[in-house]
mmCIF file of all heavy atoms in Angstrom:
data_model
loop_
_atom_site.group_PDB
_atom_site.id
_atom_site.type_symbol
_atom_site.label_atom_id
_atom_site.label_comp_id
_atom_site.label_asym_id
_atom_site.label_seq_id
_atom_site.Cartn_x
_atom_site.Cartn_y
_atom_site.Cartn_z
ATOM 1 N N LEU A 417 196.982 18.516 219.974
ATOM 2 C CA LEU A 417 195.609 18.917 219.697
ATOM 3 C C LEU A 417 194.665 17.719 219.716
ATOM 4 O O LEU A 417 193.555 17.801 220.241
ATOM 5 C CB LEU A 417 195.540 19.613 218.336
ATOM 6 C CG LEU A 417 194.159 20.096 217.903
ATOM 7 C CD1 LEU A 417 193.616 21.138 218.874
ATOM 8 C CD2 LEU A 417 194.202 20.650 216.491
ATOM 9 N N ASN A 418 195.096 16.598 219.177
ATOM 10 C CA ASN A 418 194.231 15.419 219.096
ATOM 11 C C ASN A 418 195.077 14.162 219.277
ATOM 12 O O ASN A 418 195.353 13.435 218.323
ATOM 13 C CB ASN A 418 193.496 15.385 217.754
ATOM 14 C CG ASN A 418 192.325 14.428 217.771
ATOM 15 O OD1 ASN A 418 191.888 14.001 218.818
ATOM 16 N ND2 ASN A 418 191.823 14.097 216.606
ATOM 17 N N PRO A 419 195.495 13.880 220.510
ATOM 18 C CA PRO A 419 196.426 12.775 220.745
ATOM 19 C C PRO A 419 195.742 11.424 220.567
ATOM 20 O O PRO A 419 194.514 11.316 220.677
ATOM 21 C CB PRO A 419 196.837 12.984 222.208
ATOM 22 C CG PRO A 419 195.658 13.676 222.822
ATOM 23 C CD PRO A 419 195.110 14.568 221.747
ATOM 24 N N PRO A 420 196.516 10.371 220.296
ATOM 25 C CA PRO A 420 195.927 9.026 220.252
ATOM 26 C C PRO A 420 195.443 8.628 221.636
ATOM 27 O O PRO A 420 196.020 9.051 222.648
ATOM 28 C CB PRO A 420 197.086 8.152 219.774
ATOM 29 C CG PRO A 420 198.323 8.912 220.128
ATOM 30 C CD PRO A 420 197.952 10.372 220.008
ATOM 31 N N PRO A 421 194.378 7.853 221.722
ATOM 32 C CA PRO A 421 193.830 7.497 223.039
ATOM 33 C C PRO A 421 194.758 6.574 223.817
ATOM 34 O O PRO A 421 195.404 5.685 223.254
ATOM 35 C CB PRO A 421 192.518 6.791 222.691
ATOM 36 C CG PRO A 421 192.724 6.253 221.320
ATOM 37 C CD PRO A 421 193.590 7.245 220.610
ATOM 38 N N LEU A 422 194.797 6.784 225.128
ATOM 39 C CA LEU A 422 195.583 5.904 226.003
ATOM 40 C C LEU A 422 194.888 4.569 226.226
ATOM 41 O O LEU A 422 195.543 3.570 226.532
ATOM 42 C CB LEU A 422 195.822 6.599 227.346
ATOM 43 C CG LEU A 422 196.674 7.882 227.300
ATOM 44 C CD1 LEU A 422 196.701 8.541 228.679
ATOM 45 C CD2 LEU A 422 198.084 7.572 226.822
ATOM 46 N N ILE A 423 193.574 4.556 226.128
ATOM 47 C CA ILE A 423 192.797 3.327 226.301
ATOM 48 C C ILE A 423 191.930 3.129 225.072
ATOM 49 O O ILE A 423 191.275 4.063 224.611
ATOM 50 C CB ILE A 423 191.910 3.401 227.560
ATOM 51 C CG1 ILE A 423 192.782 3.477 228.812
ATOM 52 C CG2 ILE A 423 190.979 2.201 227.635
ATOM 53 C CD1 ILE A 423 191.978 3.609 230.077
ATOM 54 N N ARG A 424 191.944 1.869 224.581
ATOM 55 C CA ARG A 424 191.135 1.531 223.419
ATOM 56 C C ARG A 424 190.229 0.361 223.759
ATOM 57 O O ARG A 424 190.320 -0.232 224.843
ATOM 58 C CB ARG A 424 192.032 1.202 222.225
ATOM 59 C CG ARG A 424 192.929 2.359 221.825
ATOM 60 C CD ARG A 424 193.838 2.006 220.662
ATOM 61 N NE ARG A 424 193.059 1.680 219.483
ATOM 62 C CZ ARG A 424 193.218 0.557 218.787
ATOM 63 N NH1 ARG A 424 194.119 -0.330 219.156
ATOM 64 N NH2 ARG A 424 192.468 0.331 217.718
ATOM 65 N N GLY A 425 189.377 0.029 222.812
ATOM 66 C CA GLY A 425 188.417 -1.040 223.052
ATOM 67 C C GLY A 425 189.061 -2.364 223.390
ATOM 68 O O GLY A 425 188.522 -3.150 224.188
ATOM 69 N N ASP A 426 190.227 -2.631 222.788
ATOM 70 C CA ASP A 426 190.898 -3.905 223.055
ATOM 71 C C ASP A 426 191.222 -4.077 224.537
ATOM 72 O O ASP A 426 191.272 -5.204 225.052
ATOM 73 C CB ASP A 426 192.192 -3.992 222.239
ATOM 74 C CG ASP A 426 191.904 -4.218 220.764
ATOM 75 O OD1 ASP A 426 190.763 -4.583 220.438
ATOM 76 O OD2 ASP A 426 192.825 -4.031 219.947
ATOM 77 N N ASP A 427 191.440 -2.944 225.224
ATOM 78 C CA ASP A 427 191.801 -3.034 226.639
ATOM 79 C C ASP A 427 190.636 -3.518 227.500
ATOM 80 O O ASP A 427 190.841 -3.992 228.618
ATOM 81 C CB ASP A 427 192.283 -1.672 227.147
ATOM 82 C CG ASP A 427 193.552 -1.212 226.455
ATOM 83 O OD1 ASP A 427 194.460 -2.050 226.261
ATOM 84 O OD2 ASP A 427 193.639 -0.020 226.095
ATOM 85 N N LEU A 428 189.409 -3.374 226.989
ATOM 86 C CA LEU A 428 188.250 -3.771 227.774
ATOM 87 C C LEU A 428 187.850 -5.227 227.550
ATOM 88 O O LEU A 428 187.063 -5.781 228.320
ATOM 89 C CB LEU A 428 187.046 -2.876 227.448
ATOM 90 C CG LEU A 428 186.950 -1.558 228.230
ATOM 91 C CD1 LEU A 428 188.070 -0.615 227.835
ATOM 92 C CD2 LEU A 428 185.612 -0.885 227.996
ATOM 93 N N ILE A 429 188.390 -5.836 226.497
ATOM 94 C CA ILE A 429 187.979 -7.197 226.149
ATOM 95 C C ILE A 429 188.242 -8.175 227.294
ATOM 96 O O ILE A 429 187.411 -9.026 227.633
ATOM 97 C CB ILE A 429 188.712 -7.665 224.876
ATOM 98 C CG1 ILE A 429 188.248 -6.845 223.669
ATOM 99 C CG2 ILE A 429 188.486 -9.147 224.624
ATOM 100 C CD1 ILE A 429 186.802 -7.069 223.305
ATOM 101 N N ARG A 430 189.399 -8.055 227.903
ATOM 102 C CA ARG A 430 189.783 -9.050 228.910
ATOM 103 C C ARG A 430 188.969 -8.961 230.186
ATOM 104 O O ARG A 430 189.078 -9.822 231.055
ATOM 105 C CB ARG A 430 191.272 -8.898 229.254
ATOM 106 C CG ARG A 430 191.684 -7.530 229.760
ATOM 107 C CD ARG A 430 193.209 -7.398 229.794
ATOM 108 N NE ARG A 430 193.642 -6.083 230.222
ATOM 109 C CZ ARG A 430 193.957 -5.790 231.480
ATOM 110 N NH1 ARG A 430 193.845 -6.702 232.427
ATOM 111 N NH2 ARG A 430 194.368 -4.569 231.789
ATOM 112 N N TYR A 431 188.122 -7.917 230.318
ATOM 113 C CA TYR A 431 187.328 -7.793 231.537
ATOM 114 C C TYR A 431 185.949 -8.427 231.425
ATOM 115 O O TYR A 431 185.186 -8.436 232.388
ATOM 116 C CB TYR A 431 187.176 -6.303 231.901
ATOM 117 C CG TYR A 431 188.468 -5.678 232.360
ATOM 118 C CD1 TYR A 431 189.186 -4.841 231.520
ATOM 119 C CD2 TYR A 431 188.976 -5.935 233.641
ATOM 120 C CE1 TYR A 431 190.366 -4.258 231.927
ATOM 121 C CE2 TYR A 431 190.164 -5.357 234.060
ATOM 122 C CZ TYR A 431 190.853 -4.518 233.202
ATOM 123 O OH TYR A 431 192.032 -3.955 233.613
ATOM 124 N N ASP A 432 185.590 -8.961 230.260
ATOM 125 C CA ASP A 432 184.308 -9.646 230.056
ATOM 126 C C ASP A 432 183.106 -8.767 230.386
ATOM 127 O O ASP A 432 182.075 -9.255 230.858
ATOM 128 C CB ASP A 432 184.240 -10.934 230.896
ATOM 129 C CG ASP A 432 185.115 -12.026 230.304
ATOM 130 O OD1 ASP A 432 185.302 -12.023 229.072
ATOM 131 O OD2 ASP A 432 185.601 -12.871 231.072
ATOM 132 N N LEU A 433 183.226 -7.473 230.144
ATOM 133 C CA LEU A 433 182.066 -6.608 230.318
ATOM 134 C C LEU A 433 181.157 -6.744 229.098
ATOM 135 O O LEU A 433 181.629 -6.945 227.978
ATOM 136 C CB LEU A 433 182.501 -5.152 230.458
ATOM 137 C CG LEU A 433 183.214 -4.780 231.761
ATOM 138 C CD1 LEU A 433 183.726 -3.357 231.674
ATOM 139 C CD2 LEU A 433 182.274 -4.932 232.946
ATOM 140 N N PRO A 434 179.857 -6.652 229.281
ATOM 141 C CA PRO A 434 178.959 -6.751 228.127
ATOM 142 C C PRO A 434 179.152 -5.548 227.202
ATOM 143 O O PRO A 434 179.201 -4.412 227.653
ATOM 144 C CB PRO A 434 177.561 -6.756 228.748
ATOM 145 C CG PRO A 434 177.728 -6.094 230.071
ATOM 146 C CD PRO A 434 179.100 -6.466 230.552
ATOM 147 N N ALA A 435 179.275 -5.818 225.884
ATOM 148 C CA ALA A 435 179.457 -4.739 224.915
ATOM 149 C C ALA A 435 178.223 -3.847 224.888
ATOM 150 O O ALA A 435 177.106 -4.304 225.147
ATOM 151 C CB ALA A 435 179.716 -5.314 223.528
#
Side-chain angles (χ1 to χ4, degrees):
L417 180 62
N418 196 15
L422 296 174
I423 295 178
R424 300 179 62 233
D426 287 345
D427 296 318
L428 274 68
I429 293 294
R430 57 192 178 95
Y431 291 104
D432 286 331
L433 289 173

